[in-house]
Amino acid sequence: VPEHDGPALFEKLLLDGFQAGLAWITILRKRPAYRKAFDRFDAKKIAAYDAKKVRSLLADAGIVRNRLKVAGAVKNATAFTPESDAMSRDLKRRGFTFVGSTICYAFMQAVGMVNDHVVECFRYGDLTR
């Protein structure tokens, strides 16, 4: 089913990252805990997480406590907001339609402007050079 809600899409993106290397059922069972731990996947709140909040996430038994995946979620939240918002505003100013922030971010991922590969991914190293 197509999804158009920014926070819901961001939730799916982050859960995909946490699922890497694990069974989906593991993540789905922990989904309520993820929603609570990650402020219902509010990208602006997650982007502001400090070291204390990250430590609390790593101590939360309700989620997968992988340091790299938690750090990746915060990094992704930081990238999710300003760049895609700016691209969306600029394209709309130029007369484009259907170019909301979420669409712009998905485009940025698809064309390689944003590297959302988890560090363990075999492509991560190639794409960060």
Side-chain angles (χ1 to χ4, degrees), residues 75-118:
K75 179 181 175 187
N76 292 348
T78 303
F80 184 73
T81 55
E83 288 83 1
S84 60
D85 289 345
M87 178 186 279
S88 174
R89 279 190 307 274
D90 185 60
L91 290 172
K92 286 176 182 176
R93 182 183 58 77
R94 295 168 188 249
F96 282 74
T97 60
F98 296 99
V99 288
S101 182
T102 302
I103 289 171
C104 287
Y105 191 76
F107 172 79
M108 292 165 69
Q109 288 176 304
V111 300
M113 293 171 67
V114 175
N115 179 5
D116 280 338
H117 290 260
V118 294

Side-chain angles (χ1 to χ4, degrees), residues 30-49:
K30 294 176 178 279
R31 193 175 193 180
Y34 274 105
R35 286 179 173 160
K36 182 178 178 189
F38 283 92
D39 292 294
R40 301 203 56 77
F41 296 99
D42 182 321
K44 288 183 179 164
K45 286 182 181 178
I46 297 170
Y49 284 1

Side-chain angles (χ1 to χ4, degrees), residues 46-84:
I46 297 170
Y49 284 1
D50 59 11
K52 181 179 177 182
K53 175 63 176 180
V54 170
R55 282 193 303 275
S56 76
L57 291 169
L58 294 172
D60 187 338
I63 67 170
V64 174
R65 296 171 288 176
N66 179 299
R67 181 176 305 279
L68 295 174
K69 290 179 180 183
V70 169
V74 175
K75 179 181 175 187
N76 292 348
T78 303
F80 184 73
T81 55
E83 288 83 1
S84 60

